[in-house]
Amino acid sequence: MSSPVHVIGAGLAGSEAAWQLAERGHRVVLSEMRPVVPTPAHLTDRFAELVCSNSLGSDLPDRAGGLLHAEMRLLGSFILQCAETARVPAGNALAVDRDRFAEEVTNRLSAHPLIEIRREEVQAVPQEGVVVVASGPLTSAPLAASIKAITGSDALYFYDAIAPIVEHDSLDLSICFRSSRYNKGLGGDGAEGDYLNCPLNREEYRAFVDALKTAERMPLRDFEKEDEQFFESCLPIEILASRGDDALAFGPMRPVGLEDPRTGRRPHAVLQLRQDNLAGSLYNLVGFQTNIKWGEQERILRMIPGLGKAEFIRLGQMHRNTFINSPTLLESGLFLRTRPDLFFAGQIVGVEGYAGNAATGLLAGINAALRIEGKEALVLHPDTMLGALCHYITHAEPKHFQPMKANFGILPELPAEGRPRDKQLRGAAYSRRALTRMEGLAAGIALSSSPAHPAASNA
């Protein structure tokens, strides 16, 4: 047998890549540095631990995230299979009980006969053999230095902020009301939605914004002070508040599609809470990433109606995320241009969002298997969401390269003739085109099953 593939990092991308390789009959060494070397963001040693939101995004096929999910399912995504076993109510989104999800991923990978787990810090990229680097946004300093030495390029970074989690029993349910926007994702009796909502009137909202503007933030560590860069789709609430009094009301606190049952009217602003575990005892503050000092956080968040006596299981924090300049380094098949047996996947390539990270791990795993088998790497058509993401990160303008998440804006335009004007119908048309192309491709990938593992389904 050939030498095992070394997968570095057991986050979403590394876990997916390792599974794809093993299911195709290839031996894998999966290295994860936790708990030997902890990170500022992780709490456990489990694989695929979700450190921010517990939602993998919309599951609707006419949404960009939902389309990516559909493509991943066609390709046999391991991460989405595990997510289904830990799914919790979240309207039309795919949200999970994060502990059960990580436990499922860890147990299944640990039990696979072709996967060897090593709890160790990999300080240098192996010089020989097929390697998948999925070390994530918190790549250790020695490994980052090794990557820099191989690529000859400086790594870029931005800051990712984590949202707080609150105990359900500490919420004031005489103020919080259960509803989804426009009544979507209602329960079977049509009476309740999947989110708890904390409504604010104009005065309450203004006071909250003013408090955010003057809040004291956690100091960045020395190595994080060089160049503060924020990813626009994951901005801390205090940064949004500093951009204008109405920024939050038009962003994560937008009240559209909601009605306060106490007044019969739409609130001026609203904080939505999403169930974070299967028991329904924990709720995530949706879109409320923050880096405010913890004492200040509790005080300011308790200004929101319904959170006056809130008990926070986790408070927000911000950490440095490292990613490579993929447009100058990678081919669309996610391998290094100067070393075709070295693959990168996950946030380190500049893909944002849980599903996007896992999807790049899926493609890197498939292509690493194809490389071992002496076959051409798979390059997905940019009509597909995963193909568009990979095309974007490898063809963007290098000087201003920033992470990208799944969105219809990176797909090629639909033909002008017959193009729907309605946004939702247009999304459905993009999805039909993408899935038609991906369905045919998935069948082709299935034909490339390794003889060493003939029962594995590669589609």
Side-chain angles (χ1 to χ4, degrees):
M1 296 180 67
S2 60
S3 299
V5 179
H6 200 154
V7 178
I8 303 173
L12 292 165
S15 296
E16 182 75 74
W19 185 266
Q20 295 298 326
L21 279 154
E23 282 294 279
R24 285 163 171 77
H26 302 293
R27 291 185 299 140
V28 176
V29 170
L30 176 60
S31 294
E32 170 55 50
M33 69 179 186
R34 292 176 293 121
V36 178
V37 179
T39 78
H42 293 87
L43 300 177
T44 77
D45 63 353
R46 295 191 184 107
F47 301 158
E49 179 184 337
L50 305 182
V51 300
C52 189
S53 166
N54 70 319
S55 173
L56 278 72
S58 174
D59 217 21
L60 293 173
D62 61 357
R63 302 292 194 274
L67 171 57
L68 183 58
H69 290 177
E71 293 177 0
M72 292 171 67
R73 289 186 176 106
L74 285 172
L75 295 173
S77 170
F78 165 67
I79 288 297
L80 290 192
Q81 292 170 17
C82 294
E84 289 296 340
T85 69
R87 190 166 190 154
V88 297
N92 294 314
L94 174 56
V96 299
D97 178 318
R98 66 182 76 214
D99 290 332
R100 182 171 174 179
F101 168 71
E103 184 177 10
E104 179 76 8
V105 173
T106 305
N107 289 344
R108 291 184 65 182
L109 287 171
S110 300
H112 200 293
L114 293 181
I115 298 177
E116 176 190 346
I117 306 297
R118 293 182 184 174
R119 296 286 187 167
E120 62 180 7
E121 179 189 8
V122 177
Q123 297 193 346
V125 177
Q127 296 182 1
E128 296 181 351
V130 178
V131 179
V132 178
V133 177
S135 49
L138 298 174
T139 297
S140 67
L143 182 57
S146 174
I147 293 170
K148 180 178 177 180
I150 291 171
T151 61
S153 172
D154 290 336
L156 306 177
Y157 58 86
F158 65 105
Y159 292 88
D160 192 14
I162 296 173
I165 293 176
V166 65
E167 283 188 352
H168 174 267
D169 290 346
S170 69
L171 302 173
D172 187 343
L173 299 182
S174 69
I175 298 175
C176 303
F177 63 93
R178 186 172 290 278
S179 180
S180 296
R181 297 188 193 279
Y182 301 107
N183 296 323
K184 291 182 177 179
L186 294 182
D189 59 2
E192 294 186 334
D194 291 331
Y195 293 82
L196 286 173
N197 301 274
C198 301
L200 295 84
N201 61 32
R202 183 182 296 273
E203 291 72 27
E204 291 164 337
Y205 173 76
R206 294 297 184 195
F208 177 67
V209 170
D210 288 343
L212 289 177
K213 289 180 179 179
T214 58
E216 190 174 0
R217 303 179 196 173
M218 294 184 194
L220 298 176
R221 290 161 293 182
D222 289 341
F223 76 93
E224 294 177 321
K225 295 178 181 178
E226 301 167 8
D227 186 13
E228 211 173 283
Q229 300 179 58
F230 296 103
F231 179 41
E232 288 294 317
S233 294
C234 198
L235 288 173
I237 53 174
E238 61 271 20
I239 299 297
L240 278 173
S242 70
R243 293 185 172 185
D245 289 345
D246 294 324
L248 285 167
F250 284 91
M253 299 186 76
R254 61 191 183 281
V256 295
L258 296 168
E259 181 182 291
D260 185 347
R262 298 178 304 163
T263 64
R265 298 191 302 272
R266 186 175 79 176
H268 181 76
V270 68
L271 164 64
Q272 286 202 302
L273 307 175
R274 179 178 55 231
Q275 185 175 328
D276 199 75
N277 64 345
L278 285 172
S281 59
L282 303 178
Y283 274 74
N284 189 290
L285 278 62
V286 178
F288 258 49
Q289 301 83 214
T290 180
N291 192 47
I292 296 172
K293 278 194 170 181
W294 285 354
E296 283 273 86
Q297 268 189 62
E298 293 192 62
R299 178 184 66 82
I300 294 172
L301 291 175
R302 287 179 181 142
M303 294 173 64
I304 297 174
L307 299 187
K309 297 181 179 180
E311 293 295 329
F312 294 96
I313 298 300
R314 183 187 73 192
L315 288 164
Q317 58 181 296
M318 193 167 68
H319 57 87
R320 173 177 166 169
N321 282 356
T322 302
F323 61 97
I324 62 175
N325 197 334
S326 294
T328 65
L329 300 173
L330 299 184
E331 295 289 351
S332 296
L334 301 180
F335 56 86
L336 200 65
R337 289 172 181 164
T338 57
R339 183 180 161 182
D341 61 354
L342 177 55
F343 295 82
F344 287 82
Q347 265 185 282
I348 197 167
V349 304
V351 168
E352 180 61 23
Y354 291 149
N357 295 332
T360 56
L362 192 161
L363 181 61
I366 291 173
N367 277 340
L370 291 174
R371 182 75 69 210
I372 296 169
E373 297 160 13
K375 299 172 182 175
E376 289 293 322
L378 175 66
V379 176
L380 297 174
H381 197 283
D383 278 355
T384 65
M385 185 57 70
L386 180 51
L389 274 173
C390 292
H391 184 271
Y392 175 85
I393 63 169
T394 55
H395 291 80
E397 202 285 307
K399 186 176 181 181
H400 303 292
F401 178 54
Q402 267 204 317
M404 179 59 65
K405 67 192 303 180
N407 68 91
F408 288 127
I410 61 176
L411 293 175
E413 283 267 2
L414 293 165
E417 185 176 352
R419 181 189 304 152
R421 299 184 66 180
D422 177 80
K423 183 178 180 180
Q424 190 169 351
L425 292 177
R426 196 161 57 248
Y430 277 124
S431 292
R432 284 193 298 272
R433 182 180 70 177
L435 294 178
T436 297
R437 190 177 291 278
M438 187 64 83
E439 284 166 359
L441 179 62
I445 296 173
L447 296 175
S448 68
S449 295
S450 169
H453 202 62
S457 171
N458 293 349

